[in-house]
Structure formats: structure tokens, C-alpha cells
Amino acid sequence: DTQVGLKKNTTASYAYSVTFVDYRIFALNGEIYLHINANTVIMTRLILKAKGFGDDDKMYDKFSAEDQAFKLNNLFGGDQLEVTLAHQFNTLWTDEGVHGKNFAIFSVPNATHPDNPAAIYAEIGITPHHQVQQIDPERFEQISLHRVFEHVWKKGTRKSRNLNLDIANRRSMITVGNVTKSDIAPLASFSTVDEHRFPGKSAPFKESAHGGSCCVSFSVDDINLGGTRNNHHESLLVGIAHTKITWKPWYIKSHIPQKEKDLVPHSQYVSFFYAFDPRPPFQIRARSGYFCL
């Protein structure tokens, strides 16, 4: 393990700066990709090697328009490991959400040509509809700064900014086709006490969910192992998603008795498992109830 210096200054003499959060790593087609939430999801490919092999890469110290590899500083640990960004970050903008985040990335093997690279997908949304976009994380379209602003701010607002991050934001990742949208996901396999106590509009949990981790492939034998029905005839992909408590304005009201506030979950995240078909439109076939990690 090693801790590397990636979180650099993203702004140039500007009051507003975007924070990098929720770093995740995905293995896709034999390569390792780094996924970060900023304005939306940004991604790049990682190169891992022992120190002393190929020392021509520049050190990463700022957002650069140069499309070349950048080595990262090791802050501590991993003395012999060298981590390199293969290229500048590409940004995954989507029409399905202005501020997209936590898009779980997964790949599906080519059914007709298994030796070809697998198709790579990003989960834009999980519930109530599973929304998935095919992407090419290595290719990008250079877009204008105005188009970046249209993604970041509501239509009709006139704002500007000066962020080094926009060098990456203008590298709009290539998408393939349109976002697929499945039918509504089935009911959860169980409900929490909170859902029984506060049904309907009073439900504490947001219906929409983001990806946490995806995906593990379950074969037909895996799915039917130990069961008595043995009625599932194709593999499924399984992931884990998360959502959060819906903010209630009365949480901060002094006239609301504390014992009533204590009955409602507050400022917490919950997770659930979900299983879906490994092909478009990636219909969700089963999901668990909520639980805390």
C-alpha cells in the first residue's frame, strides 16, 4: 500500500474550488482506472510499476492541458511502487443529471466475439429505474467552457469561474448510444422498522440511489446453489448501492420534542444489494432492504 499525492490545488486565484471526494478504483479490460467525484465523475487510467523502470514521465503537480503521463508523489509507504496517471482526467457528463456522482463502472464481455474488449458501462442511476450509459474512458471530445457551465449551473443562469479543473471538465468522455432505462425495480426483499413506522411520504430514505461497488458476476450454478426452486437460467451481476436520509426541515426546530426527532433517522447513509441482467436494459431482478455499513 502507498499513499500518493493527488489532491492538488484545483483553482487559480478563485474563491470557489471543487473538492475531490470518493476515490474509487475499477478493473476494466485488464486495466486499472481511477474514478473521482468532482463536479461530476472524472476518470483516468493508472499505470503501476516498480521504481526505476521508465522514468521519463513528468511529475504531477497541477492540472495541465498536456495529454501525457504524470507520476504521482508517494507521501509515505510503498517505497518501490510508482503510480502514474496515464493521461489527463476525462469527464463523464451525462444528460441524465447535472451533478452526476458515484457512477459505478462495470464491463460486460462481448457475447459474439469473446476475444474482443468488453463493453464498459457507467451506472447513472439504480432505483427506481436502472439507468446505464456505455462509455469509452480512453476517448474524449474537447468541448467549450460554455458547455461546461451549462452542465454545472441551471439553464438560464449567467455565471463564470476560473478553475484549473475545467481543463479536465472540457475533456468530455465519449459515450456510446443513449442511456438505457429499465423498468421499475422490484420491491425490496425486506423493510426496515423505520419504513414501517413512517410509510408513504413520511418515509425517511430517498428512493434514488447511487452505486457503491459493482459488479460481481453470479453464474446460474451460483444463483441456484442450495436452493429448491432452481428456476433461474442465466447469470446476474450483483452490486451494492447506497442512499441517504431525506433532510427534514423540522429537525432543527426547537419546538419539536426531542423524543419525536429521536424516532426518525437523521443524517445517515444506508446500503442495499441489487442483482440485474448482464445486458441492456440491465433490468434489476432483485434487491435487498436497507442496512447500515
Side-chain angles (χ1 to χ4, degrees):
D1 293 340
T2 183
Q3 182 174 354
V4 296
L6 178 64
K7 200 163 189 175
K8 300 293 183 178
N9 183 23
T10 60
T11 180
S13 302
Y14 195 70
Y16 170 73
S17 181
V18 176
T19 302
F20 282 11
V21 294
D22 298 335
Y23 295 74
R24 289 187 290 174
I25 291 177
F26 293 91
L28 305 164
N29 284 327
E31 302 286 355
I32 301 174
Y33 286 87
L34 174 64
H35 167 299
I36 304 174
N37 289 335
N39 271 135
T40 183
V41 170
I42 59 175
M43 289 179 62
T44 189
R45 179 165 45 89
L46 296 183
I47 300 172
L48 306 181
K49 57 187 177 183
K51 286 186 176 180
F53 292 89
D55 290 329
D56 295 332
D57 298 333
K58 288 186 176 182
M59 293 302 297
Y60 174 80
D61 61 357
K62 64 180 180 179
F63 272 87
S64 170
E66 298 177 77
D67 195 21
Q68 63 182 53
F70 288 91
K71 290 189 295 187
L72 304 181
N73 281 318
N74 285 7
L75 300 184
F76 58 84
D79 292 338
Q80 299 305 313
L81 178 65
E82 184 175 282
V83 182
T84 301
L85 305 183
H87 53 73
Q88 179 58 273
F89 287 94
N90 294 331
T91 300
L92 179 51
W93 295 113
T94 169
D95 293 335
E96 297 300 317
V98 175
H99 297 288
K101 60 180 295 188
N102 297 326
F103 297 158
I105 312 297
F106 66 94
S107 60
V108 175
N110 191 312
T112 57
H113 299 83
D115 293 333
N116 289 358
I120 299 175
Y121 295 91
E123 286 184 313
I124 308 303
I126 298 174
T127 55
H129 299 275
H130 198 197
Q131 300 177 74
V132 178
Q133 172 71 67
Q134 186 175 351
I135 62 172
D136 184 343
E138 291 294 321
R139 297 170 56 225
F140 69 95
E141 172 195 4
Q142 190 77 26
I143 63 175
S144 68
L145 197 56
H146 178 72
R147 282 184 61 187
V148 172
F149 295 163
E150 287 181 331
H151 284 295
V152 174
W153 288 300
K154 292 181 179 180
K155 187 175 181 180
T157 59
R158 300 181 65 181
K159 298 182 179 180
S160 63
R161 67 182 191 181
N162 179 26
L163 295 183
N164 289 328
L165 175 64
D166 288 329
I167 294 172
N169 284 165
R170 294 181 62 186
R171 294 166 57 101
S172 180
M173 192 182 303
I174 294 296
T175 58
V176 181
N178 297 321
V179 174
T180 62
K181 185 176 181 179
S182 74
D183 293 336
I184 292 179
L187 294 175
S189 59
F190 62 86
S191 297
T192 66
V193 173
D194 306 290
E195 291 172 289
H196 284 294
R197 183 178 291 152
F198 303 100
K201 293 182 179 180
S202 299
F205 307 118
K206 283 189 174 182
E207 175 64 16
S208 59
H210 291 298
S213 180
C214 186
C215 304
V216 176
S217 178
F218 279 65
S219 68
V220 174
D221 291 338
D222 292 332
I223 297 170
N224 292 322
L225 183 65
T228 57
R229 297 169 64 182
N230 293 323
N231 62 346
H232 203 87
H233 305 296
E234 61 179 340
S235 63
L236 292 173
L237 295 176
V238 176
I240 183 170
H242 70 275
T243 188
K244 62 182 180 180
I245 308 301
T246 303
W247 169 253
K248 301 292 195 303
W250 52 263
Y251 278 133
I252 59 175
K253 302 295 184 181
S254 59
H255 68 277
I256 303 295
Q258 186 61 41
K259 63 179 181 180
E260 291 188 25
K261 297 178 182 180
D262 292 341
L263 292 174
V264 183
H266 175 43
S267 299
Q268 297 174 355
Y269 284 85
V270 289
S271 301
F272 63 93
F273 288 103
Y274 61 101
F276 61 94
D277 293 332
R279 62 181 186 282
F282 303 104
Q283 179 64 45
I284 293 181
R285 296 300 177 184
R287 59 170 171 159
S288 74
Y290 298 123
F291 56 89
C292 293
L293 288 177

